[in-house]
Amino acid sequence: VLQIIPSVADHLYKPVRHEVHAVFKNEWESVEATLMLFTKYAAIHTLPVELLSHIFCALLGGDPRSSDVKKLAPAIILRAVCKRWYAVVENTAELWSSVVGPYGFQWTRKAVVLSKEHPLDLLITPSGSFYLDVKQVAQSLPILLAERRRFRSLRVSYSYLSDTTLLPNFQALLASPLPELEKLEISGCTDNTITLDETILAGEVPSRLKDLELFCCVVSPLAPILRARLTDLTIYDCPIWTSMDQLFETLSSMPQLETFDWEILFWTYETAGMTFMVPPLSPSAGLHRQSVQLPHLQDVRISAQIQIVTSFFIHIACPSSCSVIANSDLIAIPEDGSLAEVYTTLDLA
């Protein structure tokens, strides 16, 4: 938007061209400031339709995949201002990508049509004041399932599903391939009743998936979502791997990984009937294994037992500029262990 505005000014507002460049020569700070400058010389109703459309799209924020349902979507608000804005909004397909899902059946049906062939960003979560009853959202599922080939992002929270009969309906969203999917976020239940196995997405690896966030789910290490070429991976309270070797095998298939955020809670493994084999706290443990090369890693946040943390950093090769936050404690150290050995292992890690 901000790159287009000077071009528009050059052609339509030559008298103020130099003032525009002077005000915004340091990478113009906001759309609001731009509007103030233009409306100083012309009322907003005289702005070209194309410019209004670009300004409205700027209200979506930097990442359309991260739309927030705590406030009404810009498309719903702007179309209520006047007839001209109504027409502009109705003809700007980008504004409708994130309206599907959280605002009910009628808005979903309208958004699917007005978004034309643009990607869809589906959010199903109870975290906003405008969120409608889950049963009404369930009514939208037939429409959404028909358009899932267009899903760019999918964020689903199962934690609020008091009516478990609706669970299969929502799991149907993940039953078929999603070829355009770039971001997937799934929040399961605290009892880990949501399972993501090899059959998710019909077993097809999503080739465009880059950002994966999983919370409170039981996940198979062979699930296709863990075989995608991810750049961002967040795992919280999810029984997945049963050993560090399994974790390293998964990460070795993600050479483009930039951020890795992992918190492991052992009681959830017990609830899922799984066991994680904690490596010994020893500088020489596992040194025979080849390091996992993650040359693009920028940010690591890991919360686990000290043995897991040290094993991770001993076997992961990442840039020295990588930011690291490790949250651990010494409670899990065996009684016969010594702090000297801890320090030696930490130095190696």
Side-chain angles (χ1 to χ4, degrees):
V1 174
L2 299 178
Q3 293 174 350
I4 289 173
I5 287 173
S7 177
V8 175
D10 285 343
H11 294 285
L12 301 179
Y13 302 95
K14 287 187 177 180
V16 298
R17 182 178 64 247
H18 297 297
E19 184 174 352
V20 171
H21 285 287
V23 172
F24 298 107
K25 64 180 180 180
N26 295 320
E27 297 186 0
W28 312 279
E29 295 182 351
S30 68
V31 172
E32 289 83 358
T34 306
L35 280 172
M36 290 177 61
L37 180 60
F38 275 108
T39 54
K40 175 180 177 181
Y41 300 95
I44 193 169
H45 68 266
T46 66
L47 293 179
V49 170
E50 295 81 5
L51 180 56
L52 272 180
S53 178
H54 283 296
I55 292 172
F56 291 167
C57 288
L59 296 175
L60 294 174
D63 188 354
R65 303 175 304 173
S66 303
S67 57
D68 187 358
V69 77
K70 293 181 180 179
K71 55 185 179 181
L72 280 173
I76 298 176
I77 299 173
L78 295 171
R79 68 193 296 274
V81 173
C82 64
K83 290 182 178 180
R84 187 167 186 260
W85 284 26
Y86 178 95
V88 172
V89 171
E90 296 274 304
N91 288 281
T92 304
E94 296 92 328
L95 291 173
W96 296 95
S97 293
S98 60
V99 180
V100 294
Y103 304 104
F105 174 74
Q106 297 297 335
W107 282 115
T108 295
R109 182 171 61 178
K110 188 178 186 70
V112 164
V113 174
L114 294 179
S115 60
K116 299 177 182 178
E117 288 300 311
H118 278 266
L120 297 178
D121 302 305
L122 177 57
L123 172 64
I124 299 179
T125 173
S127 62
S129 57
F130 299 106
Y131 196 84
L132 300 177
D133 183 78
V134 65
K135 291 185 177 180
Q136 186 173 358
V137 177
Q139 294 174 1
S140 303
L141 284 177
I143 299 176
L144 297 172
L145 289 173
E147 299 293 332
R148 57 190 164 195
R149 62 178 176 79
R150 296 166 55 194
F151 287 173
R152 173 173 55 191
S153 67
L154 177 59
R155 292 186 289 159
V156 184
S157 174
Y158 294 98
S159 60
Y160 67 100
L161 281 178
S162 56
D163 186 352
T164 56
T165 61
L166 294 173
L167 186 58
N169 294 331
F170 288 91
Q171 289 179 321
L173 291 169
L174 299 171
S176 297
L178 301 176
E180 299 299 319
L181 192 66
E182 299 176 5
K183 177 183 175 68
L184 177 62
E185 178 182 328
I186 300 179
S187 296
C189 309
T190 53
D191 57 0
N192 297 104
T193 56
I194 303 302
T195 300
L196 307 175
D197 57 20
E198 297 92 330
T199 63
I200 187 175
L201 304 183
E204 183 175 306
V205 177
S207 60
R208 299 175 66 90
L209 184 63
K210 300 299 180 186
D211 190 345
L212 177 62
E213 299 183 20
L214 301 174
F215 304 86
C216 302
C217 306
V218 178
V219 188
S220 167
L222 300 178
I225 54 177
L226 287 177
R227 289 185 280 131
R229 308 280 283 187
L230 301 175
T231 58
D232 301 276
L233 177 59
T234 297
I235 305 289
Y236 175 79
D237 194 13
C238 294
I240 303 179
W241 307 285
T242 58
S243 67
M244 294 302 292
D245 284 343
Q246 278 194 342
L247 168 63
F248 296 143
E249 185 176 352
T250 298
L251 294 180
S252 64
S253 66
M254 303 177 185
Q256 301 300 317
L257 197 66
E258 297 177 1
T259 64
F260 180 60
D261 193 342
W262 181 38
E263 180 167 350
I264 178 172
L265 302 177
F266 284 95
W267 70 268
T268 58
Y269 270 77
E270 296 174 1
T271 302
M274 299 171 60
T275 302
F276 190 94
M277 186 169 61
V278 178
L281 185 65
S282 170
S284 60
L287 287 181
H288 64 281
R289 182 181 179 90
Q290 186 176 0
S291 296
V292 178
Q293 302 294 321
L294 298 177
H296 301 282
L297 199 60
Q298 301 174 8
D299 190 10
V300 174
R301 293 178 292 275
I302 181 171
S303 179
Q305 291 184 4
I306 187 67
Q307 297 97 319
I308 294 175
V309 172
T310 53
S311 177
F312 179 87
F313 288 106
I314 287 174
H315 296 95
I316 294 293
C318 59
S320 58
S321 59
C322 178
S323 171
V324 174
I325 297 178
N327 181 20
S328 188
D329 55 49
L330 302 179
I331 297 177
I333 296 178
E335 293 183 359
D336 57 350
S338 67
L339 285 179
E341 192 170 47
V342 174
Y343 295 146
T344 303
T345 307
L346 285 173
D347 287 340
L348 182 61

